[in-house]
Amino acid sequence: MKAGKEPLLGAIEAGGTKFVLAVGTAPDNTAARHVIPTQMPSETLAEAEAWFRAQGSIAALGIASFGPIDIDRASRTWGHITTTPKSGWSECDIAGFFAARFAVPVGFDTDVNGAAWAEVRFGAGRGVSSLAYVTVGTGIGGGLVIDGEPIHGASHPEMGHIFVRRGPSDDDFAGHCPIHGDCLEGLASGPAIIARWGSPLSDLPQDHPAHALVSGYLAHLCYDIFAITAAEVVVLGGGVLRTPGLLQRVREQATALASGYLPGGARHRVEAAGLGEDAGITGALMLAERALARGD
Ligand code: ZN
């Protein structure tokens, strides 16, 4: 194939507040990028379609989406966002919308599985084959790559709605999850922190007890991921992780929890995203690349 004639990959990182759109000839070779706000599906999907048409002819599309989503290719509702509380998006056939309009292979996975996959290939996980990507922001969600492949089982990994041991003096907060109360998301997500202390973690003084509590809960998640999956790296991203010092606190507490017990020892690492904010869209481009290779 002649240089400059490589097929153009299209990619969408579909988030609850914004859609990141990109085209490129490879996951690490982006030609153009565009961000649109997430409104109702009819507006946002049409706006995305128009942008892709203006970029030229795409040969495949990858979508890394907020969830929960249906990633079972054999399912009647493959490619749908399923039961999100986000207004208008429940049961939205996001992959089908683009498959019908562009008639190209479409790859589809969660935003965090895409981000985990991209971090293994280009980011904090280069040189390892197993990595979890956890975002801590409006909610908490995680993706998992094992042996170089994003994990799918009955559906996709979840990770936010797990239960962690409460801190010894932490018994006066019921938790902020509408489903479980004090699951991890109910204790350590951005809205949970605001509901409890009235401001984001980054605005609280460094000696405020919130820092130790939140980092402790996230350290439990990291330790559990290491213990259950043997993943080498947990990448932590999302708005809450912009809090100065938080990543280091989580690292230290995860190491303390492990107490030298895990057989993986120092091979287990807690890292910031090597790709920064680009992990999700890079993963979406990888999904397009694979969809094209497979003809999905
Ligand atoms: Zn929950």
Side-chain angles (χ1 to χ4, degrees):
M1 194 170 287
K2 280 196 293 190
K5 292 290 183 191
E6 297 98 324
L8 194 63
L9 306 172
I12 300 172
E13 181 188 6
T17 57
K18 66 180 181 184
F19 270 44
V20 181
L21 316 174
V23 292
T25 54
D28 57 347
N29 187 16
T30 305
R33 180 186 292 224
H34 186 54
V35 179
I36 58 177
T38 306
Q39 297 168 296
M40 294 301 277
S42 56
E43 301 163 75
T44 306
L45 300 183
E47 199 175 338
E49 179 193 357
W51 185 80
F52 283 117
R53 291 204 185 283
Q55 307 309 309
S57 184
I58 59 170
L61 181 69
I63 304 171
S65 176
F66 69 100
I69 61 176
D70 187 345
I71 54 170
D72 178 2
R73 284 252 170 207
S75 165
R76 187 181 51 80
T77 54
W78 172 82
H80 288 53
I81 292 170
T82 56
T83 53
T84 178
K86 186 164 177 58
S87 177
W89 288 88
S90 204
E91 314 303 332
C92 174
D93 182 8
I94 182 168
F97 177 93
F98 293 101
R101 283 159 181 80
F102 290 100
V104 297
V106 175
F108 187 63
D109 210 326
T110 59
D111 48 1
V112 280
N113 257 354
W117 207 24
E119 285 289 330
V120 163
R121 183 160 159 194
F122 300 111
R126 268 180 296 189
V128 307
S129 63
S130 58
L131 176 146
Y133 182 98
V134 177
T135 179
V136 186
T138 308
I140 296 178
L144 181 63
V145 168
I146 296 290
D147 290 338
E149 290 294 318
I151 289 295
H152 305 140
S155 181
H156 50 79
E158 207 339 283
M159 299 199 192
H161 297 271
I162 66 163
F163 297 97
V164 292
R165 187 172 65 195
R166 297 288 291 259
S169 60
D170 185 23
D171 52 10
D172 61 349
F173 180 62
H176 195 62
C177 173
I179 306 159
H180 310 107
D182 66 346
C183 67
L184 179 66
E185 183 169 307
L187 292 171
S189 65
I193 291 166
I194 290 172
R196 184 169 194 180
W197 291 296
S199 80
L201 192 61
S202 54
D203 289 357
L204 296 171
Q206 282 288 322
D207 59 355
H208 192 286
H211 292 282
L213 269 183
V214 170
S215 58
Y217 293 140
L218 295 177
H220 272 98
L221 172 64
C222 294
Y223 173 79
D224 289 353
I225 292 170
F226 293 145
I228 292 169
T229 72
E232 291 145 292
V233 177
V234 174
V235 170
L236 293 178
V240 173
L241 264 296
R242 293 191 202 109
T243 305
L246 180 60
L247 182 76
Q248 186 57 30
R249 286 176 192 265
V250 175
R251 259 188 200 135
E252 289 166 7
Q253 294 191 63
T255 301
L257 280 171
S259 301
Y261 173 75
L262 290 176
R267 289 183 61 185
H268 295 297
R269 294 181 280 126
V270 179
E271 302 285 356
L275 296 171
E277 307 276 312
D278 290 347
I281 193 65
T282 304
L285 281 160
M286 289 171 67
L287 291 169
E289 182 183 55
R290 170 169 285 185
L292 182 63
R294 287 183 172 175
D296 284 341

